[in-house]
């Protein structure tokens, strides 16, 4: 597969609504000072971010079993997600440490601005992942194959400790991602995900709060919202 360049991906005006959603916006009137803070935070994240990605493709055995390199893909949900696929694509993405540091520094001098920057950073890493997924989908479909949606550790019964498998398989330190002892990634605005490749159309798996390991501590659910469509 061709190399996908994500270095120039940044937040655009149409991404503002997603930033607001991360902030818990539910139709409130936004006064001009806050509007300016949002614009400034988006620009600051765009200026500081250094998006990078890695991905690698593995074959799935004819009987559906994962090869030894994919032993960390545990649980029934990931097997259902990849049912009918003949290949597995592992990916990792980050927007870099500069944005993390900027958000931390802002938390000391301007906590509100830090929160807005954090929401903008969360939006940007999703934009990066969505862009990569769209390009991968276009590429595999040009070859007569089909791509599933993303599935990340911590979703369903795929445990968070599967991050260690991604760390080894993709050598994600190459793009500046490090893993803590409790399986949390640094920079915080980083994502790992699994996608399946099949030779026939695959039904998109809808996200569900009931099957998410983070549902009890989810800030979206606490506000009556959800993290996906």
């Amino acid at each position: 597969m061709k190399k996908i360049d994500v270095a120039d991906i940044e937040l655009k005006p149409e991404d503002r609504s997603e930033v607001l959603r991360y902030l818990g916006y539910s139709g409130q009137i936004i006064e001009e000072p806050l509007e300016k803070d949002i614009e400034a935070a988006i620009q600051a994240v765009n200026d500081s971010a250094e998006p990078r990605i890695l991905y690698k493709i593995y074959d799935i055995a004819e009987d559906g079993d994962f090869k030894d390199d994919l032993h960390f893909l545990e649980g029934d949900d990931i097997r259902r997600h990849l049912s009918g696929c003949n290949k597995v694509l592992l990916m990792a993405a980050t927007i870099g440490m500069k944005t993390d540091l900027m958000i931390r520094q802002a938390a000391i001098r301007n906590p509100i601005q830090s929160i807005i920057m954090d929401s903008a950073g969360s939006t940007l890493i999703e934009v990066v992942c969505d862009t990569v997924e769209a390009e991968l989908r276009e590429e595999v479909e040009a070859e007569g194959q089909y791509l599933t949606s993303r599935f990340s550790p911590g979703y369903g019964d795929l445990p968070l400790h599967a991050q260690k498998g991604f760390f080894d398989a993709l050598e994600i330190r190459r793009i500046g991602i490090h893993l803590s002892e409790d399986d949390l990634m640094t920079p915080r605005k980083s994502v790992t995900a699994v996608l399946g490749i099949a030779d026939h159309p695959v039904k998109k798996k809808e996200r569900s709060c009931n099957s998410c390991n983070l549902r009890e501590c989810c800030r979206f659910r606490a506000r009556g919202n959800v993290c996906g469509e």
Side-chain angles (χ1 to χ4, degrees), residues 11 44 52 72 90 94 123-124 152 175 179 201 214 219 225:
L11 295 174
R52 300 181 70 186
F72 55 90
L90 303 182
T94 184
T123 302
L124 180 55
S152 293
I175 56 172
L179 200 62
L214 303 178
R219 61 175 174 170
N225 299 322

Side-chain angles (χ1 to χ4, degrees), residues 56-122:
K56 187 174 181 179
I57 296 175
Y58 295 82
D59 290 327
I60 297 178
E62 289 186 6
D63 59 5
D65 283 344
F66 301 138
K67 297 190 175 181
D68 290 344
D69 289 341
L70 302 175
H71 64 87
F72 55 90
L73 296 180
E74 305 172 19
D76 295 331
D77 291 324
I78 189 62
R79 289 190 174 276
R80 280 192 289 267
H81 186 76
L82 298 174
S83 176
C85 295
N86 50 42
K87 296 180 185 295
V88 170
L89 187 149
L90 303 182
M91 67 171 282
T94 184
I95 61 172
M97 185 59 75
K98 287 184 180 179
T99 302
D100 263 25
L101 293 175
M102 179 186 67
I103 292 171
R104 292 176 195 167
Q105 291 167 356
I108 298 172
R109 64 179 185 274
N110 190 336
I112 292 178
Q113 190 68 356
S114 175
I115 292 171
I116 301 172
M117 288 176 179
D118 187 82
S119 296
S122 296

Side-chain angles (χ1 to χ4, degrees), residues 209 212 214-223 225-227:
C209 293
C212 180
L214 303 178
R215 61 186 178 275
E216 298 303 329
C217 58
C218 176
R219 61 175 174 170
F220 290 113
R221 278 170 57 87
R223 296 166 178 162
N225 299 322
V226 294
C227 68

Side-chain angles (χ1 to χ4, degrees), residues 53-216:
I53 65 154
L54 284 173
Y55 62 88
K56 187 174 181 179
I57 296 175
Y58 295 82
D59 290 327
I60 297 178
E62 289 186 6
D63 59 5
D65 283 344
F66 301 138
K67 297 190 175 181
D68 290 344
D69 289 341
L70 302 175
H71 64 87
F72 55 90
L73 296 180
E74 305 172 19
D76 295 331
D77 291 324
I78 189 62
R79 289 190 174 276
R80 280 192 289 267
H81 186 76
L82 298 174
S83 176
C85 295
N86 50 42
K87 296 180 185 295
V88 170
L89 187 149
L90 303 182
M91 67 171 282
T94 184
I95 61 172
M97 185 59 75
K98 287 184 180 179
T99 302
D100 263 25
L101 293 175
M102 179 186 67
I103 292 171
R104 292 176 195 167
Q105 291 167 356
I108 298 172
R109 64 179 185 274
N110 190 336
I112 292 178
Q113 190 68 356
S114 175
I115 292 171
I116 301 172
M117 288 176 179
D118 187 82
S119 296
S122 296
T123 302
L124 180 55
I125 186 60
E126 286 301 313
V127 169
V128 170
C129 290
D130 288 346
T131 301
V132 172
E133 182 179 328
E135 292 199 28
L136 289 171
R137 191 177 306 282
E138 181 178 345
E139 186 173 348
V140 301
E141 288 183 357
E143 298 173 354
Q145 297 180 306
Y146 300 87
L147 193 69
T148 69
S149 54
R150 299 192 302 273
F151 198 108
S152 293
Y155 181 67
D157 61 1
L158 179 61
L160 193 60
H161 66 243
Q163 300 285 29
K164 290 186 175 69
F166 281 87
F167 190 84
D168 294 335
L170 292 176
E171 298 179 20
I172 58 177
R173 62 168 62 89
R174 290 185 292 156
I175 56 172
I177 299 177
H178 301 276
L179 200 62
S180 70
E181 291 184 359
D182 51 0
D183 303 316
L184 299 178
M185 290 184 289
T186 303
R188 291 189 307 113
K189 305 307 179 186
S190 301
V191 169
T192 56
V194 184
L195 301 94
I197 300 175
D199 56 9
H200 55 82
V202 286
K203 183 179 179 181
K204 180 181 178 182
K205 306 293 192 301
E206 300 298 335
R207 294 180 179 181
S208 168
C209 293
N210 291 333
S211 60
C212 180
N213 288 343
L214 303 178
R215 61 186 178 275
E216 298 303 329

